[in-house]
mmCIF file of all heavy atoms in Angstrom:
data_model
loop_
_atom_site.group_PDB
_atom_site.id
_atom_site.type_symbol
_atom_site.label_atom_id
_atom_site.label_comp_id
_atom_site.label_asym_id
_atom_site.label_seq_id
_atom_site.Cartn_x
_atom_site.Cartn_y
_atom_site.Cartn_z
ATOM 1 N N THR B 131 25.351 18.090 6.945
ATOM 2 C CA THR B 131 25.153 16.717 6.453
ATOM 3 C C THR B 131 24.657 16.740 5.000
ATOM 4 O O THR B 131 25.103 15.940 4.175
ATOM 5 C CB THR B 131 24.160 15.931 7.328
ATOM 6 O OG1 THR B 131 22.988 16.711 7.514
ATOM 7 C CG2 THR B 131 24.745 15.555 8.664
ATOM 8 N N PHE B 132 23.767 17.659 4.694
ATOM 9 C CA PHE B 132 23.298 17.763 3.308
ATOM 10 C C PHE B 132 24.440 18.202 2.386
ATOM 11 O O PHE B 132 24.558 17.750 1.251
ATOM 12 C CB PHE B 132 22.138 18.761 3.207
ATOM 13 C CG PHE B 132 20.789 18.123 3.412
ATOM 14 C CD1 PHE B 132 20.586 17.174 4.402
ATOM 15 C CD2 PHE B 132 19.714 18.454 2.590
ATOM 16 C CE1 PHE B 132 19.339 16.575 4.587
ATOM 17 C CE2 PHE B 132 18.464 17.860 2.765
ATOM 18 C CZ PHE B 132 18.272 16.925 3.765
ATOM 19 N N GLN B 133 25.280 19.079 2.904
ATOM 20 C CA GLN B 133 26.382 19.588 2.087
ATOM 21 C C GLN B 133 27.367 18.477 1.749
ATOM 22 O O GLN B 133 27.790 18.350 0.606
ATOM 23 C CB GLN B 133 27.078 20.715 2.856
ATOM 24 C CG GLN B 133 28.177 21.387 2.069
ATOM 25 C CD GLN B 133 28.465 22.790 2.592
ATOM 26 O OE1 GLN B 133 27.561 23.562 2.851
ATOM 27 N NE2 GLN B 133 29.733 23.122 2.744
ATOM 28 N N THR B 134 27.711 17.660 2.740
ATOM 29 C CA THR B 134 28.688 16.592 2.471
ATOM 30 C C THR B 134 28.082 15.496 1.606
ATOM 31 O O THR B 134 28.770 14.892 0.787
ATOM 32 C CB THR B 134 29.229 15.951 3.761
ATOM 33 O OG1 THR B 134 28.132 15.495 4.531
ATOM 34 C CG2 THR B 134 30.022 16.930 4.572
ATOM 35 N N MET B 135 26.788 15.253 1.793
ATOM 36 C CA MET B 135 26.153 14.214 0.971
ATOM 37 C C MET B 135 26.191 14.600 -0.507
ATOM 38 O O MET B 135 26.363 13.747 -1.376
ATOM 39 C CB MET B 135 24.709 14.004 1.411
ATOM 40 C CG MET B 135 24.564 12.944 2.491
ATOM 41 S SD MET B 135 22.882 12.400 2.676
ATOM 42 C CE MET B 135 22.055 13.821 3.252
ATOM 43 N N SER B 136 26.034 15.877 -0.783
ATOM 44 C CA SER B 136 26.036 16.299 -2.188
ATOM 45 C C SER B 136 27.386 15.977 -2.842
ATOM 46 O O SER B 136 27.458 15.689 -4.034
ATOM 47 C CB SER B 136 25.736 17.795 -2.295
ATOM 48 O OG SER B 136 26.861 18.547 -1.929
ATOM 49 N N TYR B 137 28.441 15.988 -2.027
ATOM 50 C CA TYR B 137 29.789 15.702 -2.543
ATOM 51 C C TYR B 137 29.882 14.255 -3.044
ATOM 52 O O TYR B 137 30.273 14.000 -4.191
ATOM 53 C CB TYR B 137 30.799 15.972 -1.427
ATOM 54 C CG TYR B 137 32.205 15.517 -1.701
ATOM 55 C CD1 TYR B 137 33.041 16.244 -2.541
ATOM 56 C CD2 TYR B 137 32.718 14.373 -1.092
ATOM 57 C CE1 TYR B 137 34.345 15.829 -2.778
ATOM 58 C CE2 TYR B 137 34.018 13.947 -1.317
ATOM 59 C CZ TYR B 137 34.827 14.687 -2.158
ATOM 60 O OH TYR B 137 36.112 14.276 -2.389
ATOM 61 N N THR B 138 29.484 13.324 -2.186
ATOM 62 C CA THR B 138 29.611 11.911 -2.584
ATOM 63 C C THR B 138 28.614 11.563 -3.698
ATOM 64 O O THR B 138 28.935 10.787 -4.595
ATOM 65 C CB THR B 138 29.403 10.966 -1.376
ATOM 66 O OG1 THR B 138 28.235 11.376 -0.671
ATOM 67 C CG2 THR B 138 30.587 10.984 -0.453
ATOM 68 N N ILE B 139 27.430 12.159 -3.629
ATOM 69 C CA ILE B 139 26.441 11.862 -4.680
ATOM 70 C C ILE B 139 26.940 12.375 -6.034
ATOM 71 O O ILE B 139 26.816 11.692 -7.056
ATOM 72 C CB ILE B 139 25.061 12.466 -4.316
ATOM 73 C CG1 ILE B 139 24.508 11.805 -3.062
ATOM 74 C CG2 ILE B 139 24.072 12.281 -5.467
ATOM 75 C CD1 ILE B 139 23.257 12.478 -2.486
ATOM 76 N N ASP B 140 27.528 13.568 -6.029
ATOM 77 C CA ASP B 140 28.040 14.117 -7.297
ATOM 78 C C ASP B 140 29.182 13.268 -7.844
ATOM 79 O O ASP B 140 29.305 13.096 -9.061
ATOM 80 C CB ASP B 140 28.490 15.572 -7.102
ATOM 81 C CG ASP B 140 27.318 16.535 -7.113
ATOM 82 O OD1 ASP B 140 26.184 16.078 -7.372
ATOM 83 O OD2 ASP B 140 27.522 17.739 -6.861
ATOM 84 N N ILE B 141 30.030 12.762 -6.954
ATOM 85 C CA ILE B 141 31.111 11.885 -7.432
ATOM 86 C C ILE B 141 30.504 10.592 -7.985
ATOM 87 O O ILE B 141 30.904 10.096 -9.042
ATOM 88 C CB ILE B 141 32.118 11.575 -6.290
ATOM 89 C CG1 ILE B 141 32.850 12.858 -5.891
ATOM 90 C CG2 ILE B 141 33.120 10.508 -6.730
ATOM 91 C CD1 ILE B 141 33.764 12.690 -4.698
ATOM 92 N N TYR B 142 29.536 10.067 -7.291
ATOM 93 C CA TYR B 142 28.860 8.840 -7.748
ATOM 94 C C TYR B 142 28.264 9.053 -9.139
ATOM 95 O O TYR B 142 28.332 8.178 -10.005
ATOM 96 C CB TYR B 142 27.769 8.474 -6.742
ATOM 97 C CG TYR B 142 26.953 7.266 -7.145
ATOM 98 C CD1 TYR B 142 27.440 5.973 -6.951
ATOM 99 C CD2 TYR B 142 25.693 7.414 -7.724
ATOM 100 C CE1 TYR B 142 26.705 4.857 -7.331
ATOM 101 C CE2 TYR B 142 24.942 6.316 -8.100
ATOM 102 C CZ TYR B 142 25.439 5.043 -7.895
ATOM 103 O OH TYR B 142 24.708 3.954 -8.276
ATOM 104 N N ARG B 143 27.715 10.234 -9.350
ATOM 105 C CA ARG B 143 27.103 10.533 -10.651
ATOM 106 C C ARG B 143 28.137 10.906 -11.717
ATOM 107 O O ARG B 143 27.780 11.151 -12.869
ATOM 108 C CB ARG B 143 26.132 11.710 -10.508
ATOM 109 C CG ARG B 143 24.867 11.378 -9.763
ATOM 110 C CD ARG B 143 24.081 12.657 -9.536
ATOM 111 N NE ARG B 143 22.764 12.401 -8.972
ATOM 112 C CZ ARG B 143 21.925 13.363 -8.595
ATOM 113 N NH1 ARG B 143 22.282 14.635 -8.738
ATOM 114 N NH2 ARG B 143 20.753 13.073 -8.095
ATOM 115 N N GLY B 144 29.391 10.972 -11.308
ATOM 116 C CA GLY B 144 30.434 11.309 -12.268
ATOM 117 C C GLY B 144 30.502 12.784 -12.591
ATOM 118 O O GLY B 144 31.109 13.187 -13.584
#
Side-chain angles (χ1 to χ4, degrees):
Chain B
T131 50
F132 271 42
Q133 184 158 315
T134 55
M135 270 196 295
S136 76
Y137 170 77
T138 47
I139 296 171
D140 280 355
I141 294 175
Y142 177 80
R143 288 173 173 175

